[in-house]
């Protein structure tokens, strides 16, 4: 077990902010989705592999805890890891840190199930992917630290 | 607590390209790679010990008077990537941030770039002094050689009779940053629209490219920005041809403020054609050459 890794490093854009003057919630989710795809690449489910193996992971549940607001120009980092990664279920954890002051801005947890992209039905994740993902297994305590 | 990946913590930008980042040419559009480089620039400013948000509140932004980009490989939706960069000297001795955007996790170099980092007076949009790049310490060293500049005619850029208008539009709110100044992404968006306008004039329409299996892509691009316009400004782009090779053509956009007539930016770029099936370079057709010759910029005109 080695834990979470950086999957996004970016800047909040003005057009992501709403009339409250902070990043709208839809863009937190967008950042996490990008981080998730980045993590998929790291464990071997990169774009070409998805085309060839026809395996995807569909989210079935998501929980987000907003801790601090992000404003236009703020730099941020998303770290991603897995609380669970089995053949039939993936529980992903994210933490989003505001880099200007290194404060934790968001933690999130999502549950996903593997799907066969040709049949659009549940499937099992192959062993090599499970093995690769084991490098990124983390704990709940790590996520909130 | 984190970072089992040896590369983590070294990147100035890290992210994923999505379906909605794809352009008409069927690959990730240059404006989104420009946006990633812009993020990297802001991250580098922070690593240099300057909080870009606090600086913005005090009326100073950070951008690039000059930027060179070499596009090495196409990026597609679903590709993840990261940028590493470090201070260096450009081929002309200018202090720049040199880096590369690499696809994760195989580290294929998709884009190489050089950018200056310059202060922007957010009240006027004028560039101020450059950031002293040697103050930053934590970026990963670049593994890329100096970029070869696109050959340019001598003297200051000017609008010549052969150049034709390729774009006209307003800097919208979505094109601006938190200080209402136009972003680099938006400037590259203008460049893209100008490119397609000229592609259509030369007969290389999207339908034709698709029907004949021809790929077209920007392989090199350099920007010299004179000042940063504000949201609401009306801009135009005029485009001409700087020169032609066997399989590529060099273009220039001159972006201007319509109301004041002031030059905003000069964007020089190379478009190369290739066979989509074999990946081999495709020669410019005689018809394309004939049309492109009519757009040749004559600096003496």
């Amino acid at each position: 077990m080695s834990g979470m890794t950086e999957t996004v490093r970016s800047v909040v854009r003005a057009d992501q902010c709403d009339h409250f003057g902070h990043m709208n919630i839809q863009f937190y989710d967008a950042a996490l989705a990008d981080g998730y795809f980045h993590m998929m690449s790291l464990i071997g489910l990169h774009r070409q592999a998805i085309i060839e193996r026809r395996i995807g992971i569909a989210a079935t549940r998501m929980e987000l805890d907003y801790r601090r607001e992000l404003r236009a120009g703020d730099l941020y980092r998303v770290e991603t890891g897995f609380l669970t990664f089995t053949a039939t279920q993936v529980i992903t954890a994210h933490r989003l840190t505001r880099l200007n002051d290194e404060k934790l801005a968001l933690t999130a947890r999502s549950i996903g199930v593997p799907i066969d992209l040709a049949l659009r039905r549940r499937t099992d994740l192959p062993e090599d992917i499970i093995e690769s993902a084991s490098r990124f297994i983390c704990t709940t305590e790590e996520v909130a630290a | 607590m984190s970072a089992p990946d040896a590369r983590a913590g070294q990147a100035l930008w890290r992210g994923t390209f999505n379906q909605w980042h794809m352009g008409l040419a069927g690959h990730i559009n240059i404006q989104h790679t420009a946006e990633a480089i812009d993020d990297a620039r802001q991250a580098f400013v922070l690593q240099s010990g300057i909080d870009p948000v606090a600086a913005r509140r005090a009326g100073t932004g950070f951008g690039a008077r000059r930027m060179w980009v070499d596009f090495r490989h196409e990026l597609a939706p679903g590709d993840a990537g990261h940028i590493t960069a470090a201070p260096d000297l450009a081929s002309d001795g200018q202090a720049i941030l040199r880096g590369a955007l690499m696809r994760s996790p195989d580290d294929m170099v998709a884009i190489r770039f050089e950018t200056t980092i310059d202060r922007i007076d957010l009240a006027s949009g004028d560039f101020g002094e450059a950031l002293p790049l040697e103050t930053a310490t934590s970026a990963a060293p670049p593994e890329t050689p100096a970029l070869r500049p696109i050959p340019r005619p001598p003297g200051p850029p000017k609008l010549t009779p052969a150049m034709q208008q390729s774009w006209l539009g307003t800097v919208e709110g979505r094109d601006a940053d938190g200080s209402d100044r136009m972003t680099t992404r938006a400037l590259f968006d203008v460049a893209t629209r100008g490119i397609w306008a000229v592609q259509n004039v030369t007969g290389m329409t999207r339908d034709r490219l698709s029907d004949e299996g021809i790929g077209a892509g920007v392989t090199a691009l350099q920007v010299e920005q004179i000042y940063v316009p504000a949201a609401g400004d009306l801009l135009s782009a005029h485009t001409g041809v700087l020169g032609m090779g066997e399989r590529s053509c060099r273009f220039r956009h001159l972006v201007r403020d319509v109301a004041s007539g002031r030059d905003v930016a000069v964007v020089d770029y190379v478009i190369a054609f290739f066979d989509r099936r074999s990946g081999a370079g495709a020669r410019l057709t005689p018809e394309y050459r004939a049309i492109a010759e009519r757009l040749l910029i004559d600096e003496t005109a």
Side-chain angles (χ1 to χ4, degrees), chain B:
Chain B
M1 56 153 284
S2 63
D5 180 350
R7 292 177 300 253
Q10 295 183 342
L12 289 171
W13 172 86
R14 195 181 293 274
T16 302
F17 295 103
N18 290 297
Q19 195 70 28
W20 49 91
H21 296 137
M22 195 161 73
L24 294 171
H27 49 229
I28 298 304
N29 183 258
I30 56 172
Q31 66 183 296
H32 301 295
T33 51
E35 192 166 47
I37 295 170
D38 204 25
D39 279 9
R41 198 185 296 117
Q42 302 303 323
F44 189 84
V45 169
L46 183 66
Q47 288 187 356
S48 303
I50 299 170
D51 182 344
V53 176
R56 189 172 291 278
R57 269 189 234 114
T60 301
F62 292 91
R65 275 182 212 267
R66 212 189 75 180
M67 203 170 154
W68 294 351
V69 189
D70 263 15
F71 298 88
R72 315 281 296 178
H73 290 281
E74 287 184 302
L75 287 167
D79 279 338
H82 60 281
I83 286 178
T84 60
D88 208 337
L89 295 177
S91 56
D92 63 358
Q94 190 169 10
I96 43 96
L97 183 69
R98 173 176 296 131
L101 192 160
M102 287 160 286
R103 190 172 66 183
S104 304
D106 62 3
D107 284 349
M108 178 195 78
V109 175
I111 285 142
R112 301 190 302 157
F113 69 88
E114 293 175 359
T115 177
T116 58
I117 303 184
D118 304 281
R119 287 179 170 79
I120 302 165
D121 176 353
L122 294 172
S124 66
D126 291 329
F127 284 108
E129 62 181 30
L131 186 77
L133 298 178
E134 67 276 9
T135 57
T137 55
S138 54
E143 298 167 358
T144 58
L147 296 184
R148 203 161 47 114
I150 298 172
R152 312 183 63 178
K158 58 183 181 184
L159 189 58
T160 67
M163 296 175 84
Q164 71 166 58
Q165 186 167 328
S166 56
W167 183 78
L168 177 72
T170 305
V171 181
E172 299 282 352
R174 62 177 174 274
D175 298 326
D177 61 18
S179 307
D180 268 357
R181 289 285 157 194
M182 187 182 190
T183 62
T184 314
R185 181 207 60 74
L187 183 61
F188 276 58
D189 187 19
V190 170
T192 300
R193 291 168 196 274
I195 287 168
W196 276 105
V198 175
Q199 288 291 93
N200 284 341
V201 168
T202 56
M204 285 295 186
T205 61
R206 193 183 184 213
D207 284 348
R208 182 175 172 200
L209 292 171
S210 171
D211 291 347
E212 299 183 15
I214 303 168
V218 175
T219 56
L221 186 146
Q222 64 190 31
V223 177
E224 184 185 331
Q225 192 164 10
I226 294 97
Y227 79 102
V228 186
D233 288 351
L234 179 62
L235 307 182
S236 68
H238 286 77
T239 305
V241 170
L242 290 170
M244 278 174 276
E246 288 290 311
R247 297 174 175 80
S248 63
C249 196
R250 287 184 286 125
F251 292 90
R252 161 166 294 177
H253 292 322
L254 181 58
V255 182
R256 276 196 167 161
D257 182 285
V258 173
S260 68
R262 191 179 175 197
D263 289 346
V264 170
V266 182
V267 182
D268 295 337
Y269 59 94
V270 179
I271 291 224
F273 298 98
F274 57 96
D275 185 309
R276 278 255 167 232
R277 286 171 289 271
S278 67
R283 288 180 185 277
L284 303 183
T285 63
E287 298 80 30
Y288 186 97
R289 281 186 179 282
I291 296 168
E293 274 170 13
R294 292 206 293 271
L295 298 173
L296 266 174
I297 293 173
D298 176 6
E299 288 285 312
T300 59

Side-chain angles (χ1 to χ4, degrees), chain A residues 56-137:
Chain A
I57 300 176
T60 56
R61 183 180 174 83
M62 193 146 188
E63 296 165 8
L64 296 95
D65 288 327
Y66 299 92
R67 294 162 184 252
R68 286 180 179 83
E69 63 176 1
L70 291 174
R71 303 185 66 185
D74 279 344
L75 291 108
Y76 66 89
R77 171 183 66 226
V78 175
E79 293 161 282
T80 305
F82 298 114
L83 297 168
T84 301
F85 200 104
T86 67
T88 56
Q89 189 183 57
V90 176
I91 303 179
T92 308
H94 301 281
R95 42 183 283 128
L96 190 154
T97 305
R98 191 170 61 191
L99 291 176
N100 308 59
D101 55 7
E102 286 290 338
K103 301 271 192 199
L104 187 62
L106 170 109
T107 57
R109 176 177 175 272
S110 72
I111 300 175
V113 295
I115 56 167
D116 182 315
L117 294 176
L119 302 173
R120 313 307 300 188
R121 282 208 313 245
R122 276 191 186 223
T123 187
D124 285 354
L125 284 163
E127 201 54 48
D128 62 310
I129 300 297
I130 296 170
E131 170 64 26
S132 184
S134 67
R135 292 182 292 149
F136 301 106
I137 294 292

